[in-house]
């Protein structure tokens, strides 16, 4: 458990950042629109990662051709993620939007793991995961109702 504490902290920081970003994007969505808020979010992020890549002399970017073709759609999927976060949060509220998004992540992640899809390690669906997904649905219903 000791070596996993930094990983847990990093994941928690990511979760906090997602909530804060969702609220910021909801504010922008209400003020200037969904496409505009996504553009500002991706543009700002693209600029920052571009600077980081310059500072690291390009990193390992030249190896992009070794990545499976379907993995290169991550940027387009990121647009869907960021758009749905901003749009949903502006209309449903932060907690409801995040709850639905996280529940959808758990269900789709369970399917991907169970079948070993998209290069994932095979992790079969068992009774414990069934119980966990059931609790997730119950929790989602209690939050969103």
């Amino acid at each position: 458990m000791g070596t996993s504490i930094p990983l847990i902290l990093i994941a928690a920081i990511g979760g906090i950042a997602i909530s804060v970003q969702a609220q910021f994007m909801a504010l922008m969505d209400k003020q200037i629109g969904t496409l505009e808020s996504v553009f500002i979010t991706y543009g700002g992020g693209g600029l920052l990662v571009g600077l980081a890549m310059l500072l690291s002399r390009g990193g390992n970017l030249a190896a992009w051709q070794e990545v499976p073709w379907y993995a290169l759609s991550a940027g387009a999927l990121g647009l869907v993620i960021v758009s749905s976060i901003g749009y949903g949060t502006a209309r449903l509220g932060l907690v409801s939007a995040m709850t639905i998004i996280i529940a959808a992540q758990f269900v789709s992640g369970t399917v991907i793991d169970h079948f070993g899809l998209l290069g994932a390690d095979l992790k079969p669906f068992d009774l414990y995961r069934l119980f966990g997904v059931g609790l997730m649905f119950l929790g989602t219903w209690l939050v969103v109702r």
Side-chain angles (χ1 to χ4, degrees):
M1 178 74 174
T3 58
S4 63
I5 289 176
L7 297 176
I8 291 169
L9 289 174
I10 290 169
I13 290 167
I16 292 166
I18 290 169
S19 293
V20 173
Q21 180 196 40
Q23 186 58 36
F24 289 167
M25 288 195 63
L27 288 171
M28 287 191 291
D29 188 284
K30 288 178 183 175
Q31 297 268 324
I32 61 175
T34 303
L35 292 177
E36 296 80 0
S37 68
V38 171
F39 177 78
I40 289 171
T41 301
Y42 256 73
L47 183 63
L48 289 174
V49 77
L51 289 172
M53 292 291 292
L54 281 174
L55 292 173
S56 67
R57 297 192 174 128
N60 193 28
L61 193 56
W64 74 269
Q65 295 172 333
E66 298 171 24
V67 175
W69 66 269
Y70 53 85
L72 298 174
S73 70
L77 290 170
L79 289 172
V80 172
I81 294 164
V82 169
S83 299
S84 66
I85 287 172
Y87 188 86
T89 300
R91 287 151 182 84
L92 297 170
L94 184 59
V95 174
S96 291
M98 289 290 104
T99 301
I100 293 166
I101 289 166
I102 292 167
Q105 288 176 321
F106 269 84
V107 171
S108 59
T110 299
V111 171
I112 290 168
D113 280 352
H114 179 74
F115 293 106
L117 301 174
L118 307 172
D121 292 335
L122 190 64
K123 294 184 179 159
F125 193 72
D126 59 15
L127 203 53
Y128 292 107
R129 287 184 180 224
L130 176 64
F131 185 67
V133 169
L135 286 175
M136 178 65 65
F137 278 126
L138 175 61
T140 301
W141 177 76
L142 289 172
V143 170
V144 175
R145 65 180 174 90

